[in-house]
Amino acid sequence: MIRSPQRRHFGVAAASLGLAAALPTWLSTAQAQTVDEIKKKGELTVGLLVDFPPYGTVNSSNEPDGYDADVARLMAKDWGVKLKLVPVTGPNRIPFLLTDKVDLLVASLAVTPERAKQVQFSKPYAAATIVVFGSKKASIKGPADLKGLRVGVARASTQDIALTAVAPAGTEIRRFDDDASGMQALMSGQVDALGCSTTVAAQIAKRAPANTYEDKFLLRQQVMGVAMRPGQAELAKAVNDFIDRNKANGELNKLYQKWLGTDLPAMQAS
């Protein structure tokens, strides 16, 4: 559902109703519009996924981790402020941003024309390849072969959009709350195939017996951007400068190598 920019006033309305006090501390509004405001409050509040490894995950201490978390840490260090990481989900990450619960999103958010109507994107800082992934025994070579099959996907994700666009009539698309649920559904036989990123596919391949699953066909190659609220030109410039600088000095490539085991791909805004 498209969230109107007017939703960002929710915090004010809630306060007037006496509801703000009931919100958990980590859901308090962020509201920073510029880097100077972020530096003045001394803290950068970043929303990120924790169910999309290796971009977003949790470590042994049950704290947010992954490529996105490390990018956020590098940004906070670059700006000389503390960092607060706020876990979000695929469906609620944009609403969290638009209702001022976070300053920005480093949340594996693929840049799409639809999302660009709601948020302001930075230059790409990462990329993901989305595929249909399934059993090696399944004869799936393209979208037409999905007819009559059960195909899982994370609800409201890039892969959901891509799969829905190409799946023929007769495809049963089963939408799950997150990639972890979709992975379990594939491995337990609840679905015949899964629309997912190649990183999620790699996680499945590691857990399953060798040569059980394979990439069936490409759905989409998608770049990811840091998301900000519309109209934040100064903040967008600062984020883009951060990305340009840390691409040039190799820091983003080091983080990509750390988490994905490969070089940061060449990327252009889509």
Side-chain angles (χ1 to χ4, degrees), residues 174-186:
R174 295 191 177 182
R175 294 177 172 86
F176 299 92
D177 288 337
D178 50 45
D179 282 301
S181 300
M183 290 168 59
Q184 188 60 40
L186 177 65

Side-chain angles (χ1 to χ4, degrees), residues 148-171:
L149 299 184
R150 302 162 301 170
V151 186
V153 72
R155 183 182 295 108
S157 63
T158 301
Q159 51 267 36
D160 187 353
I161 296 169
L163 179 65
T164 300
V166 301
T171 304

Side-chain angles (χ1 to χ4, degrees), residues 61-97:
S61 300
N62 204 36
E63 297 171 338
D65 210 353
Y67 177 74
D68 284 350
D70 273 356
V71 171
R73 292 182 184 112
L74 184 62
M75 187 182 299
K77 180 181 178 181
D78 196 66
W79 293 350
V81 295
K82 295 179 181 179
L83 176 67
K84 178 189 286 186
L85 294 174
V86 177
V88 296
T89 66
N92 76 17
R93 52 191 165 175
I94 288 179
F96 263 50
L97 177 66

Side-chain angles (χ1 to χ4, degrees), residues 140-152:
I140 303 173
K141 297 181 180 180
D145 297 322
L146 299 179
K147 183 177 181 180
L149 299 184
R150 302 162 301 170
V151 186

Side-chain angles (χ1 to χ4, degrees), residues 3 46-52 55 68 86-112 115 118-119 121 125 154-161 179 224-225 227-229:
R3 299 297 181 111
V46 176
L48 80 164
L49 299 179
V50 292
D51 63 352
F52 191 49
Y55 296 95
D68 284 350
V86 177
V88 296
T89 66
N92 76 17
R93 52 191 165 175
I94 288 179
F96 263 50
L97 177 66
L98 296 183
T99 54
D100 299 326
K101 294 180 179 69
V102 295
D103 295 319
L104 48 81
L105 296 173
V106 185
S108 305
L109 196 64
V111 179
T112 68
R115 287 172 177 162
Q118 301 178 70
V119 302
F121 280 108
Y125 74 96
R155 183 182 295 108
S157 63
T158 301
Q159 51 267 36
D160 187 353
I161 296 169
D179 282 301
M224 303 172 187
M228 295 151 283
R229 289 179 286 278

